[in-house]
Amino acid sequence: MSAFPHLVVSPPGPKARELLKRDERSVSPSYSRFYPLVVESAKDCLVKDVDGNEYIDFNAGIACLNVGHNHPKVVNAIKNQCDRFLHYSNTDFYYEGVISLAEKLAEISPGGFEKKVYFGNSGTEAVEAAVKLAKWHTRKQLFIGFISAFHGRTIGSLSFTASKPTQRRHFFPLMPGVAHVPYAYCYRCPFKLNYPECDYWCIDFIDEFVLQKYAPPEDVAAIVFEPIQGEGGYVVPPPDYFRRLKKLADQNGLLTVADEVQSGIGRTGKWFAIEHWNVEPDIVCSAKALASGLPISATIASARVMDWPGGSHASTFGGNPLSCAAALAVIDVIREEKLLDNANKQGSYILKRLSEFGEQNPIVGDVRGKGLMIGVELVEDKESKKPATEKAREVMIRSWKHGVAIVTCGVSTLRLAPPLTIQRGQLDGALDIVEDVVNEVAKEG
Ligand SMILES: Cc1ncc(COP(=O)(O)O)c(C=O)c1O
């Protein structure tokens, strides 16, 4: 593979089309496929499809391949573990990988206090565990969540998910007791206020209109939030937001749960995104990039909070040996290759380049992000800020057809989340393509 896109046939090519037909006949239609990219192999920041087309990967398998596809150290760690043993149920017995990974996660996650870690298999399981733990520890039943949040699709986490009606439609009743409040989406403030004159009214609102009116703090276990909303549109709250939220939680005796399934493991240039706000949550949820594509999740809590007894929560495969080996290697690679620095460096470059581009382009409404978690929100025009949903979709499809695999999030936001290994040359190659496509779509009106 070269470092740049290389298209040999207009995608989807004949082999891809054949597989799509088979997929349609036998695979659940519930998946939300963005476009018909059928992957054959991948290496670092490039993905090759079954017809031989090569794309620069701005998705990183949806924020999972932070160290790049098939990093040799990760692959070796998995192979070595394969030769030793594949499974022995961490629920019922012991092995070192789980213990070492728990120690490392305690070290790299926010909070100078003692921690303990629960292992599951997916992001949604990390959130389920956090919710159950908060209930167990506090003996309370109510929660506060956020509008536009995404926390997963099993019934507990789905009770917090609120970014698209299709995720919840016909699945009620969900877990009772979750009050959803507006998130700090300053570009489209739900209260129609402006930052900073608003003085964080969205925090006072939770106090005055939720805790003081209908969710008595004595019955609220926790506030569950994404430090940067992912599926909801790569939305970044302003600088003092989480300090104020944590203060409100502390004053009312509520736990804080940071869902870092998408934003964690270096994605934003810190191990966990909440560090940008200098806040130490009681519970942090991690998954996606943790084992570079192998299934694992971690619910990391202060040891004070993680006080549940044997048998209260477990999972046969949670923390399986292959995923633990991969995750330990991922953490080493991020350290050795200084990928947090690279995420910050390349992320700042993208933000600057796209902000300047956006000033000249009529449909770029907002460019935001931290590290390599960057959103570009498209609008019909900058005055009305009407979301350009169809245009964003068109930019996504055409970018892919020109060799950059990119997807959308929120209502009309392009999400840029390449591997943290990406270098300037490849970035520029991809951004040239995406900018050309945005210009083209903007001109078409
Ligand atoms: C913030 C966040 N939480 C939870 C999840 C659910 O993760 P999974 O699909 O592994 O269950 C996601 C998935 O996108 C996510 O972005």
Side-chain angles (χ1 to χ4, degrees):
M1 286 193 201
S2 82
F4 294 100
H6 180 63
L7 299 176
V8 293
V9 56
S10 176
K15 287 188 183 157
R17 287 202 301 271
E18 199 44 48
L19 285 163
L20 295 173
K21 273 194 228 149
R22 285 171 54 198
D23 181 281
E24 197 179 341
R25 278 197 296 269
S26 51
V27 177
S28 165
S30 62
Y31 298 110
S32 48
R33 268 71 174 268
F34 284 103
Y35 41 84
L37 167 59
V38 184
V39 176
E40 193 269 334
S41 59
K43 186 76 201 146
D44 198 16
C45 301
L46 282 187
V47 174
K48 191 176 192 172
D49 74 14
V50 286
D51 293 288
N53 294 315
E54 291 174 8
Y55 311 86
I56 297 181
D57 188 8
F58 262 27
N59 301 327
I62 313 299
C64 290
L65 285 316
N66 288 5
V67 298
H69 291 270
N70 281 23
H71 193 290
K73 285 208 169 150
V74 177
V75 173
N76 272 337
I78 297 167
K79 283 183 176 162
N80 288 340
Q81 182 58 46
C82 275
D83 290 339
R84 293 176 56 223
F85 65 100
L86 296 180
H87 172 70
Y88 211 77
S89 190
N90 176 54
T91 291
D92 306 294
F93 299 98
Y94 299 86
Y95 42 88
E96 190 177 353
V98 158
I99 301 164
S100 301
L101 185 57
E103 288 167 351
K104 280 232 167 133
L105 286 170
E107 196 183 305
I108 63 172
S109 56
F113 38 80
E114 235 183 281
K115 292 168 205 152
K116 292 203 167 160
V117 183
Y118 169 84
F119 290 104
N121 303 282
S122 59
T124 195
E125 284 181 56
V127 175
E128 295 287 340
V131 169
K132 282 181 71 177
L133 178 61
K135 283 191 176 196
W136 166 267
H137 178 75
T138 62
R139 301 293 200 275
K140 301 186 201 172
Q141 298 193 355
L142 305 186
F143 287 85
I144 292 173
F146 288 86
I147 294 166
S148 296
F150 188 89
H151 295 287
R153 299 172 186 276
T154 49
I155 295 296
S157 68
L158 184 60
S159 313
F160 291 84
T161 288
S163 61
K164 291 194 178 78
T166 183
Q167 295 152 350
R168 290 160 66 99
R169 188 177 293 124
H170 306 322
F171 295 130
F172 297 99
L174 303 174
M175 185 186 93
V178 182
H180 283 90
V181 298
Y183 195 69
Y185 188 178
C186 299
Y187 182 66
R188 297 185 186 281
C189 175
F191 297 104
K192 308 259 184 266
L193 296 173
N194 290 313
Y195 173 81
E197 298 81 55
C198 63
D199 196 22
Y200 294 86
W201 165 244
C202 48
I203 298 284
D204 295 342
F205 173 85
I206 301 172
D207 186 13
E208 289 178 32
F209 286 84
V210 180
L211 295 174
Q212 293 186 38
K213 298 259 186 228
Y214 70 94
E218 299 76 21
D219 290 332
V220 180
I223 304 186
V224 179
F225 59 87
E226 293 160 275
I228 294 178
Q229 279 191 338
E231 303 304 300
Y234 276 29
V235 179
V236 186
D240 205 30
Y241 182 74
F242 288 111
R243 190 193 62 80
R244 292 185 189 221
L245 189 69
K246 177 82 169 82
K247 188 170 164 207
L248 181 66
D250 288 347
Q251 281 167 345
N252 289 281
L254 323 182
L255 296 178
T256 44
V257 178
D259 179 349
E260 296 252 15
V261 166
Q262 188 154 172
S263 57
I265 314 299
R267 170 62 40 205
T268 69
K270 304 243 186 219
W271 282 111
F272 291 94
I274 194 66
E275 295 171 63
H276 288 286
W277 285 266
N278 261 321
V279 162
E280 298 177 350
D282 300 291
I283 305 176
V284 173
C285 300
S286 178
K288 281 193 183 286
L290 182 52
S292 205
L294 262 58
I296 194 168
S297 66
T299 305
I300 308 158
S302 76
R304 179 185 64 82
V305 169
M306 194 168 272
D307 59 355
W308 47 12
S312 54
H313 198 51
S315 145
T316 297
F317 290 125
N320 85 78
L322 294 188
S323 299
C324 286
L328 287 163
V330 163
I331 294 170
D332 285 349
V333 168
I334 292 177
R335 279 189 169 138
E336 284 161 16
E337 298 186 10
K338 300 191 172 22
L339 294 184
L340 302 183
D341 292 346
N342 196 52
N344 283 316
K345 182 172 146 196
Q346 308 303 350
S348 306
Y349 171 71
I350 301 181
L351 278 180
K352 183 168 178 294
R353 175 170 166 169
L354 289 184
S355 300
E356 283 165 14
F357 168 75
E359 275 164 29
Q360 309 302 321
N361 187 290
I363 65 167
V364 175
D366 194 28
V367 179
R368 56 186 177 243
K370 297 224 178 262
L372 285 170
M373 186 169 186
I374 294 175
V376 180
E377 181 158 343
L378 301 188
V379 291
E380 292 297 340
D381 63 82
K382 293 187 188 190
E383 288 68 44
S384 74
K385 292 189 184 175
K386 188 166 174 250
T389 309
E390 207 27 61
K391 288 189 171 70
R393 208 189 85 81
E394 199 54 40
V395 170
M396 171 181 80
I397 299 287
R398 287 192 208 177
S399 297
W400 167 57
K401 285 185 176 266
H402 285 91
V404 181
I406 189 173
V407 296
T408 54
C409 55
V411 179
S412 63
T413 297
L414 305 172
R415 80 168 107 176
L416 280 58
L420 313 183
T421 51
I422 199 154
Q423 298 299 329
R424 178 69 71 83
Q426 232 172 8
L427 258 189
D428 276 330
L431 292 176
D432 287 349
I433 291 172
V434 175
E435 286 179 0
D436 281 354
V437 170
V438 174
N439 280 333
E440 196 179 278
V441 169
K443 269 202 201 102
E444 288 167 13

